[in-house]
Amino acid sequence: MDFTEQAHAWIEMAALGVELLATVLIIVAILAATAMYLVTLFREGLDHPNEYNQYKQRLGRALLLCLEILVAADIVRTIALDSTLISVVALGLLVVVRTFLSWSLILEVEGRWPWKSEPDDAPKTPPHPP
């Protein structure tokens, strides 16, 4: 096996590793968010509607992060291994679909479109001292 074939094999394994990382993160996030939700429900009772929103937000944020990781894996695989016109178009379609999913998740989690600024009544993080 020459250097080019080895490099392609390593890049393919790296892209697969990144995809597996995203998959594991999704599963862990779902399990952790669900466990926290159930513990709160059992501890504080079923009439705690804010917990459901926090549960959705935790899941949404985890999915957003994992979508970004999956896009990165697709970009690495396409650019480094298969930069034909068909694969670049397929990558473009994947990015469009995942971008739409990301926007939908942001709308669901934060209640606003990604290009809209946060409302004035949103909690602000205090400035860090120099």
Side-chain angles (χ1 to χ4, degrees), residues 22 33 41 48 50-51 57-59 62 65 75-76 81 86-87 91 96 99 103 108 111 119 130:
L41 284 183
H48 203 277
N50 194 30
E51 278 306 309
Q57 288 177 347
R58 287 182 189 115
L59 290 178
L65 173 66
I75 289 171
V76 166
L81 299 178
I86 292 173
S87 65
L91 173 65
V96 166
T99 300
W103 287 355
E108 181 69 27

Side-chain angles (χ1 to χ4, degrees), residues 70-106:
L70 289 170
V71 167
D74 288 336
I75 289 171
V76 166
R77 180 175 283 120
T78 300
I79 299 301
L81 299 178
D82 188 23
S83 55
T84 63
L85 181 61
I86 292 173
S87 65
V88 171
V89 169
L91 173 65
L93 289 173
L94 275 174
V95 169
V96 166
V97 168
R98 289 185 178 155
T99 300
F100 175 75
L101 288 173
S102 294
W103 287 355
S104 299
L105 284 168
I106 289 172

Side-chain angles (χ1 to χ4, degrees), residues 111-123:
R112 64 178 178 86
W113 289 106
W115 54 85
K116 297 282 186 175
S117 61
E118 291 187 32
D120 289 336
D121 60 347

Side-chain angles (χ1 to χ4, degrees), residues 17-54:
V18 171
E19 289 173 343
L20 288 173
L21 171 68
T23 303
V24 168
L25 286 174
I26 289 171
I27 293 167
V28 168
I30 289 170
L31 293 175
T34 302
M36 291 179 354
Y37 178 65
L38 292 175
V39 165
T40 302
L41 284 183
F42 287 127
R43 193 178 298 156
E44 298 182 16
L46 295 176
D47 42 318
H48 203 277
N50 194 30
E51 278 306 309
Y52 175 71
N53 290 331
Q54 288 180 355

